[in-house]
């Protein structure tokens, strides 16, 4: 089980889920290192409480410093499913930060850079990876985002490392991009729905970024999540507190 002497690398620490993951790790007094493409952008988010290392998952040589001495990795990186400025087009036909480059090859680069004694690789994937031919996922996958996520999942499950794969549906809540650490620590799901999790990829609906971040962090505390892949959505009446132990034990 994770302890306060461990260090967790959050890849995609400036993202909607990644910021919340970092804040929740800090709230549990865990050591956090953030992998970011832009240190200056990330610095203001965490009141200097997160060690930041610059790197880009497309380029393996930039991941050496970030992964050195790390015990856990939570990978929350991603790009848009459909063409956008975030694809970093060199020209119209050549996006350099495409789903294939980031969600597929990039995650595989991060996995390859992981220390051999890594205790867990937690990956934020997506609902639909196992039913890419069904609506609405066949549309979501027009530019290959689900193909890329599945390719990354396969690399993770065959890597020999302990892993947890979390598949959210359409994300809601946040991103709290312009906020600071105190705001992140107080972030709550706006909805009043409970957390529902199920092994595999059969759930439909929407998922709070807050609950995805909670699931990433909480999963590190339970052996029931080791080498599991599960979908997570929000549905039903939300209890006053979420019992992660029970949710994970039902997987
Ligand atoms: N949106 C949805 O409805 C949905 C549904 C299911 C699953 N998901 C998945 O959920 C995860 C979190 O989503 P989100 O909305 O929180 O993501 P987000 O806000 O778009 O954040 C993505 C993060 O990835 C980083 N990133 C992008 N390209 C990178 C690269 N080449 N190297 C290193 N870092 C890179 C970004 O850093 P920069 O600040 O440098 O750009 C950012 O920190 C993603 O994996 C996404 O695919 C999303």
């Amino acid at each position: 089980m994770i302890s306060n002497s461990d260090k967790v690398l959050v890849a995609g620490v400036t993202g909607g889920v990644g910021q919340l993951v970092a804040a929740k790790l800090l709230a549990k007094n865990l050591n956090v290192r953030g992998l970011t493409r832009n240190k200056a952008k990330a610095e203001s988010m965490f009141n200097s409480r997160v060690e930041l290392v610059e790197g880009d998952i497309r380029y393996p040589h930039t991941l050496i410093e970030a992964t050195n001495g790390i015990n856990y990795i939570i990978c929350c990186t991603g790009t848009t499913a459909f063409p956008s400025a975030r694809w970093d087009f060199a020209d119209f036909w050549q996006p350099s930060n495409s789903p294939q480059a980031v969600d597929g090859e990039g995650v595989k680069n991060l996995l390859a850079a992981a220390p051999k004694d890594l205790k867990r690789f937690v990956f934020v994937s997506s609902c639909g990876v196992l039913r890419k031919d069904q609506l609405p996922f066949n549309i979501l996958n027009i530019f290959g985002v689900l193909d890329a996520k599945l390719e990354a999942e396969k690399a993770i499950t065959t890597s020999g490392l302990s892993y947890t794969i979390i598949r959210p549906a359409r994300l809601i809540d946040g991103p709290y991009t312009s906020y600071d650490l105190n705001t992140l620590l107080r972030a709550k799901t706006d909805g009043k729905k409970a957390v529902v999790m199920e092994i595999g990829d059969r759930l439909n609906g929407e998922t709070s970024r807050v609950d995805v971040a909670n699931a990433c962090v909480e999963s590190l505390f339970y052996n029931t999540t080791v080498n599991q892949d599960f979908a997570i959505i929000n549905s039903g009446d939300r209890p006053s507190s979420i019992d992660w132990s029970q949710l994970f034990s039902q997987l």
Side-chain angles (χ1 to χ4, degrees):
M1 207 225 275
I2 190 163
S3 76
N4 292 4
S5 60
D6 288 317
K7 189 169 273 191
V8 186
L9 177 69
V10 182
V13 75
T14 55
V17 170
Q19 289 175 63
L20 291 163
V21 165
K24 286 173 193 307
L25 290 166
L26 291 176
K28 289 186 178 285
N29 289 321
L30 293 165
N31 303 304
V32 189
R33 182 183 292 167
L35 174 71
T36 177
R37 291 190 291 172
N38 184 341
K39 216 169 165 178
K41 173 179 164 185
E43 245 150 20
S44 61
M45 290 179 174
F46 305 110
N47 304 8
S48 306
R49 285 182 60 196
V50 171
E51 175 196 349
L52 295 166
V53 177
E54 266 184 356
D56 186 317
I57 60 171
R58 290 170 294 176
Y59 309 120
H61 69 278
T62 69
L63 302 175
I64 296 166
E65 185 191 346
T67 52
N68 184 32
I70 281 296
N71 306 105
Y72 292 84
I73 293 176
I74 301 179
C75 179
C76 316
T77 49
T79 189
T80 50
F82 296 94
S84 75
R86 289 174 55 193
W87 282 22
D88 292 349
F89 283 92
D91 63 52
F92 186 79
W93 301 109
Q94 283 192 326
S96 70
N97 215 47
S98 63
Q100 187 57 38
V102 178
D103 297 292
E105 291 303 320
V107 177
K108 289 199 277 183
N109 290 337
L110 184 62
L111 186 69
K116 296 292 163 259
D117 60 351
L118 190 80
K119 296 179 184 172
R120 193 91 67 87
F121 191 99
V122 178
F123 178 49
V124 180
S125 182
S126 176
C127 280
V129 286
L130 302 181
R131 39 189 171 146
K132 293 181 290 179
D133 52 343
Q134 295 172 26
L135 275 169
F137 303 113
N138 51 358
I139 293 171
L140 183 65
N141 195 38
I142 283 175
F143 291 93
V145 69
L146 297 178
D147 294 332
K149 289 274 193 198
L150 185 61
E151 192 184 312
E153 284 196 9
K154 283 180 178 162
I156 292 164
T157 56
T158 56
S159 68
L161 295 172
S162 289
Y163 66 86
T164 302
I165 291 171
I166 298 175
R167 301 189 182 113
R170 188 177 67 81
L171 293 178
I172 56 168
D173 290 339
Y176 304 92
T177 304
S178 59
Y179 289 29
D180 67 0
L181 179 60
N182 293 327
T183 313
L184 292 171
L185 287 169
R186 287 196 303 269
K188 286 192 169 40
T189 176
D190 292 333
K192 297 281 181 288
K193 292 183 177 170
V195 174
V196 176
M197 299 193 306
E198 189 184 285
I199 286 287
D201 180 26
R202 286 177 302 190
L203 297 177
N204 291 309
E206 54 189 23
T207 315
S208 164
R209 282 187 172 83
V210 176
D211 287 328
V212 177
N214 274 324
C216 288
V217 174
E218 293 292 339
S219 73
L220 304 181
F221 291 86
Y222 298 95
N223 285 333
T224 44
T225 60
V226 174
N227 296 351
Q228 296 282 25
D229 57 275
F230 57 87
I232 176 170
I233 61 161
N234 292 106
S235 177
D237 292 336
R238 194 174 184 91
S240 54
S241 70
I242 303 289
D243 186 342
W244 292 98
S245 169
Q246 193 199 12
L247 284 168
F248 291 139
S249 68
Q250 288 171 353
L251 286 173

